Amino acid sequence: MNIFLDAMGGDHAPFEIVKGAIDAVNEYGVALTLVGREEAIKAELSKYTYPEDKITILHAETVISSGEEPAMAIRRKTDSSLVVALEAMKTLENPVLISAGSTGALLAGGLLKLGRIKGIKRPALAATLPKSDGVFLLIDTGANTDCKPEYLVQFAQLGKIYSENVLGKMNPSIGLINIGVEAKKGNSLVKAAYELLEAGDFNFSGNVEARDIPETEADILVCDGFTGNIVLKLTEGVAAYLLKGIKTSITSNTKGKIGGLLIKKNLKEFKKKFDYAEYGGAPFLGVKGGIIKAHGSSDAFAIKNAVRQSIKFIENDVLQKITENAKKMEV
Amino acid sequence: MNIFLDAMGGDHAPFEIVKGAIDAVNEYGVALTLVGREEAIKAELSKYTYPEDKITILHAETVISSGEEPAMAIRRKTDSSLVVALEAMKTLENPVLISAGSTGALLAGGLLKLGRIKGIKRPALAATLPKSDGVFLLIDTGANTDCKPEYLVQFAQLGKIYSENVLGKMNPSIGLINIGVEAKKGNSLVKAAYELLEAGDFNFSGNVEARDIPETEADILVCDGFTGNIVLKLTEGVAAYLLKGIKTSITSNTKGKIGGLLIKKNLKEFKKKFDYAEYGGAPFLGVKGGIIKAHGSSDAFAIKNAVRQSIKFIENDVLQKITENAKKMEV
């Protein structure tokens, strides 16, 4: 398998990235390529015991930081871990790159260096979110801020292939994020997308109101990238705000503090559900290669899970399936 | 003062509406008009002691339900509590109507029966939401699903007048909901709105990412109605989901149950912050009359607070200020 890890991207690189790679190699027996400053990677690798033939280092002198203008950085920083990895992927079968670095640069790099799969109008970034009875896939979460109705139909198609092949959810039900459940609700984009989704070859379950997102019965929620980014980040923001507020309120007096100690374990278990690290990274779907965006604050556990996700992506031929379906997708 | 209450709108009408009216009359000494079926209102009123000259009944035979197509219902149901109230308002100075009934019908009614204030392109529905250090105003929350950049500037103007005169926040800071903090982020709508807001006569504090909404430093957050509705309802949805999940997790074992009892009072205090009833209703700004949309599940306490909000709206001449500013608002 051709799995690349951007060893220099993310808040805890290279330490946690390398540790995650080691854990993945030891647990899954997979071979990985770490991309970044050889010296720094070697220093990290020397801390661990692992089958040495399973890890290759691909040297890259620099790294693209989150502050840089994505497209320009991709064009100019040809010696960055991201560009070196993408260049290496171009000639390989079924390559996957995991990066916890700049999202913008990763998407721009995927588009500029790998290119769109023929027939795909707009590649989309998906995310796996928790809900009452498992997870759902949200697509697009920010790659496309201005969308046409037909893009949303392609997002549904891309999400379906990913859900079936990586999340193991066959014939997933697809919901459209909207401001009401009735068919005629919403802005002009979602009204038109509703009609296309209903007419399409989907298990389309209709509109989903934002209030119902955390308990949605749908397996995939489709929206434009502006809305998806709002949904993703507001969910994180409200959860963080509430959990902090609850903690402060509990610990404001002695009685509460004692109660807090008694419920600590239960709460910890519950909070685990919201740990992005459990679900791997966010796949960027529709380009000629696998791209997994890991959370910027990814630890080794998150990276290891992103490798597991990449293995499924490769084993179940997600790229080929997207390519084969791309012609059907043309709406 | 000319304050009307739709006695028949909402999940707990007329019981809680009439009780809220009685409480407001007794607490604020204000005079109110209850609109709806005279018999039903009289039966409720007979349960209470109150200064009888302070409450007038305006009879209306029917009610518009949430399932009805708003504009059509407003045109046809001329004997509904909503239409009867709006017709009565037309000839009065500074009238305000509070309704916990159908949001769509209330907005359509405001537009069709009262009409837009001259110079206002699109009246907008605002909502008061809790944040770490108080509240912020979110505008628009659903009246305008497809927006042009100049509408968002007017939303900021409307929000500013409301904040200064009803929420008591002078020279409020205004944030633009976006998917990044940088000026060039977002879809074409917010990119253009950013430039207009920055050039305008505002205390503009720039873009606000969805993750930061619950702890925003801005006093007003501006967005199109589709986005605002998603923000409003997702906040409610995630909060409800989390609080339910935490409760379930706490009570899943004996130790947790005991802990739960000890923190119960603190949690209740904290949850109060998220009680919509504390903040009155959502004002629909830009039409020729005060329109306050109370939550569908409003109880007497929420209605009483909406009356207090209406008193401020009238005493501080919000309608006149919007009208005077409407010419300046033309961008």
Side-chain angles (χ1 to χ4, degrees):
Chain A
M1 290 190 196
N2 296 308
I3 302 177
F4 294 79
L5 278 98
D6 175 359
M8 313 312 281
D11 306 341
H12 309 300
F15 175 73
E16 294 284 343
I17 314 294
V18 173
K19 188 169 183 303
I22 298 280
D23 291 345
V25 163
N26 285 330
E27 192 165 334
Y28 310 128
V30 70
L32 302 173
T33 301
L34 286 162
V35 191
R37 288 199 58 228
E38 187 164 13
E39 212 178 328
I41 295 170
K42 274 190 173 159
E44 291 300 328
L45 284 174
S46 69
K47 298 173 184 168
Y48 308 99
T49 311
Y50 63 97
E52 298 197 3
D53 62 320
K54 295 284 191 188
I55 291 199
T56 309
I57 301 174
L58 182 59
H59 177 71
E61 192 60 33
T62 66
V63 63
I64 297 175
S65 68
S66 286
E68 298 179 64
E69 202 286 308
M72 200 184 291
I74 291 295
R75 286 199 184 90
R76 292 193 184 165
K77 276 195 161 168
T78 51
D79 61 349
S80 63
S81 53
L82 187 52
V83 176
V84 169
L86 290 165
E87 289 292 350
M89 290 167 77
K90 278 163 114 174
T91 55
L92 298 170
E93 278 286 300
N94 241 343
V96 175
L97 168 62
I98 298 163
S99 176
S102 159
T103 308
L106 186 61
L107 302 193
L111 283 170
L112 293 169
K113 294 292 174 187
L114 304 180
R116 282 183 290 132
I117 288 171
K118 195 166 181 292
I120 299 290
K121 292 172 198 290
R122 293 285 186 285
L125 187 64
T128 310
L129 275 87
K131 59 171 184 165
S132 298
D133 57 346
V135 297
F136 68 93
L137 191 75
L138 179 69
I139 184 167
D140 175 37
T141 64
N144 306 282
T145 52
D146 287 285
C147 286
K148 292 181 181 172
E150 55 267 34
Y151 300 172
L152 270 64
V153 178
Q154 280 204 338
F155 299 165
Q157 290 274 15
L158 290 168
K160 185 182 175 188
I161 294 171
Y162 184 82
S163 277
E164 293 191 333
N165 292 286
V166 179
L167 303 178
K169 190 84 197 178
M170 299 315 288
N171 195 24
S173 63
I174 290 163
L176 177 64
I177 293 181
N178 205 335
I179 61 170
V181 291
E182 305 88 345
K184 305 272 173 196
K185 280 276 181 179
N187 56 20
S188 50
L189 173 67
V190 294
K191 278 180 199 164
Y194 186 99
E195 286 183 20
L196 293 176
L197 285 165
E198 204 177 34
D201 183 21
F202 294 109
N203 179 3
F204 181 51
S205 58
N207 289 325
V208 175
E209 269 199 284
R211 195 195 312 263
D212 300 324
I213 290 176
E215 311 214 45
T216 182
E217 287 177 19
D219 301 305
I220 300 172
L221 291 183
V222 171
C223 57
D224 68 275
F226 187 85
T227 301
N229 198 274
I230 300 269
V231 167
L232 183 68
K233 292 189 175 163
L234 187 62
T235 301
E236 283 181 27
V238 172
Y241 173 64
L242 274 177
L243 292 172
K244 199 176 93 179
I246 287 171
K247 198 177 170 186
T248 308
S249 110
I250 288 176
T251 55
S252 66
N253 55 28
T254 312
K255 198 173 157 191
K257 275 180 196 160
I258 297 166
L261 287 174
L262 293 169
I263 61 163
K264 201 170 181 176
K265 206 178 147 197
N266 299 23
L267 268 194
K268 203 175 164 187
E269 197 61 34
F270 176 70
K271 274 172 75 174
K272 220 175 132 181
K273 199 164 182 175
F274 296 92
D275 186 2
Y276 64 86
E278 294 278 332
Y279 306 110
F284 183 46
L285 303 168
V287 290
K288 290 180 198 151
I291 301 264
I292 309 278
K293 169 66 181 87
H295 201 287
S297 58
S298 286
D299 59 8
F301 179 66
I303 296 298
K304 190 192 76 176
N305 282 337
V307 172
R308 189 187 54 194
Q309 181 186 9
S310 306
I311 295 170
K312 280 196 195 168
F313 192 94
I314 294 167
E315 282 183 345
N316 293 319
D317 291 323
V318 173
L319 274 187
Q320 288 80 337
K321 284 172 184 162
I322 291 176
T323 308
E324 283 160 25
N325 276 274
K327 278 205 170 129
K328 274 197 281 175
M329 283 191 211
E330 293 199 71
V331 282
Chain B
M1 292 191 194
N2 296 308
I3 303 177
F4 293 79
L5 276 99
D6 175 0
M8 313 312 281
D11 305 342
H12 309 300
F15 174 73
E16 295 284 342
I17 315 295
V18 173
K19 187 168 184 301
I22 297 282
D23 291 345
V25 163
N26 285 330
E27 194 166 330
Y28 309 130
V30 70
L32 301 172
T33 301
L34 286 164
V35 191
R37 290 199 59 228
E38 189 164 11
E39 210 180 329
I41 295 171
K42 275 191 173 159
E44 290 301 327
L45 285 174
S46 68
K47 298 174 183 168
Y48 308 100
T49 310
Y50 63 96
E52 297 196 3
D53 61 320
K54 295 286 192 189
I55 291 198
T56 309
I57 300 174
L58 182 59
H59 177 71
E61 193 59 34
T62 66
V63 61
I64 296 175
S65 68
S66 286
E68 298 180 63
E69 201 286 308
M72 199 184 291
I74 292 294
R75 284 199 186 90
R76 293 196 183 163
K77 274 195 162 170
T78 51
D79 61 349
S80 63
S81 53
L82 186 52
V83 176
V84 168
L86 290 165
E87 289 291 350
M89 291 168 77
K90 278 164 115 173
T91 55
L92 298 170
E93 278 287 298
N94 241 343
V96 174
L97 167 63
I98 299 163
S99 175
S102 157
T103 307
L106 186 61
L107 302 192
L111 283 170
L112 293 169
K113 293 293 173 186
L114 305 179
R116 282 184 290 132
I117 288 171
K118 196 168 181 290
I120 298 291
K121 291 172 199 292
R122 292 286 187 283
L125 187 66
T128 310
L129 275 87
K131 60 171 183 162
S132 299
D133 57 346
V135 296
F136 68 92
L137 192 75
L138 179 69
I139 183 168
D140 177 34
T141 64
N144 306 281
T145 51
D146 286 285
C147 285
K148 293 180 179 172
E150 56 267 34
Y151 301 171
L152 270 63
V153 178
Q154 280 205 337
F155 299 165
Q157 290 273 18
L158 291 168
K160 186 183 175 188
I161 294 171
Y162 184 82
S163 277
E164 293 191 332
N165 293 286
V166 179
L167 302 178
K169 191 85 199 178
M170 298 314 288
N171 195 23
S173 64
I174 290 162
L176 177 65
I177 293 182
N178 205 334
I179 62 169
V181 291
E182 306 88 345
K184 304 272 174 196
K185 280 276 181 177
N187 55 20
S188 50
L189 172 68
V190 294
K191 278 181 199 163
Y194 187 99
E195 286 185 20
L196 294 176
L197 286 166
E198 203 177 34
D201 183 21
F202 293 110
N203 181 4
F204 182 53
S205 59
N207 289 326
V208 175
E209 269 198 285
R211 195 195 312 261
D212 300 324
I213 289 177
E215 310 215 46
T216 182
E217 288 177 17
D219 302 305
I220 300 172
L221 292 183
V222 172
C223 58
D224 68 274
F226 187 85
T227 301
N229 197 274
I230 300 270
V231 167
L232 182 69
K233 293 189 176 165
L234 187 62
T235 300
E236 284 181 26
V238 173
Y241 173 64
L242 274 177
L243 293 171
K244 198 176 95 179
I246 287 170
K247 197 176 170 186
T248 308
S249 110
I250 287 176
T251 54
S252 66
N253 56 28
T254 311
K255 200 174 155 190
K257 275 181 197 161
I258 297 165
L261 288 174
L262 292 169
I263 61 163
K264 200 170 182 179
K265 206 178 147 197
N266 300 21
L267 266 194
K268 204 175 165 187
E269 197 62 32
F270 176 72
K271 274 172 75 175
K272 220 175 132 181
K273 200 165 181 173
F274 296 92
D275 186 2
Y276 63 87
E278 294 278 332
Y279 307 109
F284 182 47
L285 302 168
V287 290
K288 291 179 197 155
I291 301 265
I292 310 277
K293 170 66 181 88
H295 201 287
S297 58
S298 286
D299 58 10
F301 179 67
I303 295 298
K304 190 191 76 175
N305 282 338
V307 172
R308 190 187 55 193
Q309 180 186 11
S310 305
I311 295 170
K312 280 196 195 170
F313 191 94
I314 294 167
E315 281 183 345
N316 294 318
D317 291 324
V318 174
L319 274 188
Q320 287 81 338
K321 285 171 184 162
I322 291 176
T323 308
E324 283 159 25
N325 276 274
K327 277 207 172 128
K328 277 197 278 175
M329 283 190 211
E330 295 199 68
V331 285

